[in-house]
Amino acid sequence: MYQALYRKWRPRTFDEVSGQQHITKILRMQCREDRVAHAYLFCGTRGTGKTSIAKILAKAVNCEHPVDGNPCNQCPACKEIDAGISTDVQEIDAASHTGVDDVRSLTDEVVYPPSVLKKRVYIIDEVHMLSIAAFNALLKTLEEPPPYVVFVLATTELSKLPATIVSRCIRFDFNRLAEEIIADRLRYVAKEEHILLGEGAPELLARLADGAMRDGLSILEACTSGVGSENEITAEAIRERLGIANGEKLTAFYRAVAQQQIPDALATLDDVYRSSKDIGVFLEDLAVLARDMLVLRQLSGNDRPGGKDRPCGTFRFREEASSLLEEFPSHFTSETLFYICSVLDDAQSRMTRFSTDKKILMEFAAIRLCDLSLSDSPQALAARVARLEKGALQAPEIRQTPAESVPAPTAKAAPKDPPKEAPQAPPQETGVPFEQYAELAEELAGHPDLLPYLTKLQAFIENDRFVIVADAFTNRMLQRGTNAATLAEAVRAVTGRSYTPVFRDRVPKSNENAPINEL
């Protein structure tokens, strides 16, 4: 009869358990010295070995020929427990036996000694599903059971257990398994099962397992279904089988976001959709990649990529995150990454709550990511201010020559009565164009009220004067209060010289609101 891989390769001794040595060492020593407690509480996420260690403990306390605290797995007691036919070792699913009557029947059985084995062991899985009345009925028996009874309670949600239950048990917290441990175990199982795993496949399976050994073995089994033993299972084949987008698609999407190319971002989404990939999974991968970039940026020091890394958990897309931070160091600021995470989280929430087409929701999110001006959220505003502060784009280029920047207005025909003089063109700027706008924005980082006006002006240096040419409203705002003195101090810090600010009005254009300096 065929057995699933996670059942077939379930550890049979304490020494075979992966990644939970802080628990198995204590239990093995207690079994060796015959100092087993009457009640244990195993807490931890799914697939980390709670039930497996409970069964090993049941065998160890009943084994006829234990080996240094481990069960021998050869005696009749061990074989009966492994086969699940022992009447003295009962595994109870609390999710389907939640009532007080179920617990009362259990407490009635406790008074009878084991029929064959040395100890009667009750393994209650998902114990947090019991009702309050059931917990109360279990309290007295759990506190003072007969000497031949051992309780093992397993749960994934410790917070739902009453304190009276927790205090009566020896508690063990199971850790999430490291990716290296899961990958090593998968290599061993694949070798024993004659499964060919290509380069990078065990690591990808370990990342997808999310700290659960059972999930890793289940995914491995799903990827091997219908594949001959002579065929190698590659990382790309795993992505195709599970409907996961590869790192190239994720990088291409974020590259389009950084370059503010909405058509490229939508084209990437369309490719993912047409290739039968799950848009929801693609969205989750985008969120994980944004998290990896954010963590790498924070670890690098001074909010810049590069520098010495310090351990901070696992990365699912470390290479892609490092590549994007190196290619677009000024765009993927911490503020921008927080905004990206908020947009993706909102899209994921909408996909969960509503039955709207996932592709449409993801396209809306892509457009918001590419154009920060479409969102008025605090995260979007913080990202836009951060880009101004850090000089997100290159130093601005003056789009017109100084002479063309202030064109003379066309003189109107003078009326006969009364005669008027034709308006004079404002003086053309003949100074040296000022080009250090990005540095000036950094100096004015502490004055966010002045930063938006840097995109509305052109500046020139004439001898000891810093000439600012802008529309009348911008000039008025720059001269209000201490703004002119603050601007002059920032110019001195950037150029190394003191200049007197001079403000000149620019003749209105057809599109006066268009930015001159794209900071």
Side-chain angles (χ1 to χ4, degrees):
M1 181 178 178
Y2 179 77
Q3 270 190 323
L5 289 181
Y6 76 87
R7 294 183 60 192
K8 182 178 180 180
W9 293 99
R10 172 172 281 170
R12 304 179 64 196
T13 64
F14 290 122
D15 294 337
E16 293 180 4
V17 178
S18 300
Q20 307 293 352
Q21 284 74 17
H22 65 292
I23 297 174
T24 57
K25 181 179 179 181
I26 297 174
L27 293 178
R28 183 165 58 85
M29 183 171 56
Q30 289 183 349
C31 293
R32 182 181 61 201
E33 299 176 358
D34 195 19
R35 299 177 59 184
V36 178
H38 67 278
Y40 294 92
L41 176 60
F42 292 169
C43 314
T45 186
R46 71 194 188 284
T48 52
K50 298 186 297 298
T51 305
S52 297
I53 293 181
K55 290 184 176 181
I56 296 173
L57 178 62
K59 290 190 296 182
V61 298
N62 288 295
C63 183
E64 299 176 5
H65 309 289
V67 182
D68 193 25
N70 283 306
C72 67
N73 293 313
Q74 301 298 326
C75 65
C78 291
K79 290 182 178 180
E80 286 184 6
I81 296 173
D82 278 335
I85 60 176
S86 176
T87 58
D88 294 326
V89 176
Q90 298 186 28
E91 186 174 354
I92 303 171
D93 180 19
S96 56
H97 299 81
T98 62
V100 65
D101 292 335
D102 298 311
V103 173
R104 284 174 178 168
S105 63
L106 184 150
T107 56
D108 291 340
E109 294 178 2
V110 166
V111 298
Y112 299 104
S115 57
V116 177
L117 303 182
K118 292 183 289 185
K119 287 184 179 292
R120 185 185 292 272
V121 181
Y122 292 95
I123 302 173
I124 306 179
D125 200 10
E126 301 298 333
V127 69
H128 63 272
M129 299 293 290
L130 292 178
S131 64
I132 297 299
F135 278 126
N136 293 333
L138 185 62
L139 280 179
K140 188 61 178 177
T141 304
L142 189 64
E143 183 178 10
E144 296 179 358
Y148 48 79
V149 173
V150 176
F151 285 99
V152 181
L153 313 182
T155 179
T156 56
E157 299 186 37
L158 177 64
S159 60
K160 292 186 177 181
L161 291 182
T164 51
I165 293 291
V166 177
S167 64
R168 286 165 168 78
C169 305
I170 295 180
R171 171 181 162 186
F172 289 107
D173 292 313
F174 285 66
N175 299 330
R176 286 180 178 268
L177 300 179
E179 292 182 4
E180 296 79 7
I181 295 176
I182 298 178
D184 290 341
R185 183 65 175 174
L186 293 178
R187 291 190 189 96
Y188 174 78
V189 172
K191 181 179 178 181
E192 296 296 321
E193 293 288 330
H194 306 289
I195 300 172
L196 297 179
L197 291 180
E199 183 179 359
E203 290 76 11
L204 176 59
L205 291 171
R207 288 198 299 269
L208 296 174
D210 192 24
M213 184 70 74
R214 182 175 62 232
D215 289 6
L217 291 171
S218 297
I219 297 172
L220 173 63
E221 187 173 20
C223 295
T224 56
S225 301
V227 179
S229 59
E230 70 281 356
N231 296 328
E232 184 180 64
I233 300 176
T234 62
E236 187 60 31
I238 294 174
R239 294 189 181 94
E240 289 292 335
R241 179 65 64 92
L242 301 179
I244 302 172
N246 55 29
E248 295 179 1
K249 292 296 183 183
L250 299 173
T251 305
F253 180 84
Y254 273 121
R255 186 176 288 111
V257 170
Q259 297 172 347
Q260 300 180 0
Q261 295 295 327
I262 296 178
D264 293 345
L266 297 180
T268 302
L269 288 178
D270 191 62
D271 291 343
V272 173
Y273 183 76
R274 291 179 179 275
S275 62
S276 74
K277 301 292 190 303
D278 189 343
I279 291 294
V281 176
F282 183 68
L283 187 149
E284 293 178 3
D285 290 341
L286 287 175
V288 172
L289 180 51
R291 173 265 178 197
D292 289 350
M293 283 193 288
L294 182 61
V295 173
L296 283 178
R297 176 170 284 281
Q298 295 298 323
L299 290 179
S300 62
N302 296 327
D303 200 27
R304 293 193 303 270
K308 185 177 181 180
D309 273 354
R310 293 179 292 276
C312 65
T314 59
F315 293 89
R316 187 181 298 181
F317 302 105
R318 187 186 186 96
E319 295 181 1
E320 292 83 355
S322 300
S323 175
L324 289 170
L325 289 178
E326 291 177 1
E327 187 175 357
F328 304 101
S330 298
H331 180 83
F332 291 116
T333 62
S334 297
E335 293 80 3
T336 302
L337 291 171
F338 273 116
Y339 170 70
I340 291 174
C341 291
S342 68
V343 172
L344 296 179
D345 180 69
D346 179 68
Q348 191 173 24
S349 177
R350 289 177 179 273
M351 288 182 186
T352 304
R353 289 181 296 167
F354 307 112
S355 59
T356 311
D357 190 345
K358 292 183 178 181
K359 183 172 182 288
I360 295 177
L361 288 176
M362 192 62 216
E363 287 176 341
F364 290 160
I367 295 174
R368 291 172 60 192
L369 293 177
C370 291
D371 191 349
L372 297 178
S373 64
L374 296 178
S375 176
D376 58 353
S377 67
Q379 293 85 355
L381 296 176
R384 293 165 65 183
V385 171
R387 291 179 61 185
L388 285 173
E389 291 177 346
K390 299 177 183 301
L393 302 179
Q394 296 179 354
E397 297 180 0
I398 297 180
R399 299 183 179 180
Q400 298 176 343
T401 61
E404 294 175 344
S405 62
V406 188
T410 305
K412 299 181 181 179
K416 295 181 180 180
D417 185 29
K420 292 183 179 179
E421 295 182 359
Q424 298 294 325
Q428 295 183 349
E429 308 301 337
T430 58
V432 178
F434 178 76
E435 298 182 352
Q436 297 171 281
Y437 294 96
E439 292 83 352
L440 187 59
E442 292 182 1
E443 292 295 329
L444 293 173
H447 302 274
D449 53 330
L450 293 179
L451 291 176
Y453 300 110
L454 295 184
T455 63
K456 301 291 186 179
L457 60 83
Q458 286 180 301
F460 304 89
I461 295 178
E462 294 181 354
N463 298 327
D464 59 345
R465 298 185 300 173
F466 187 75
V467 181
I468 297 172
V469 179
D471 58 85
F473 175 77
T474 299
N475 282 337
R476 286 198 305 270
M477 297 305 296
L478 290 176
Q479 296 178 73
R480 174 179 292 182
T482 60
N483 288 347
T486 302
L487 181 61
E489 181 63 23
V491 172
R492 186 194 65 78
V494 171
T495 61
R497 287 187 55 188
S498 297
Y499 293 97
T500 302
V502 177
F503 300 90
R504 294 177 182 172
D505 291 346
R506 182 175 68 245
V507 176
K509 300 180 182 179
S510 59
N511 187 10
E512 184 175 326
N513 293 325
I516 297 175
N517 306 312
E518 296 183 357
L519 290 177

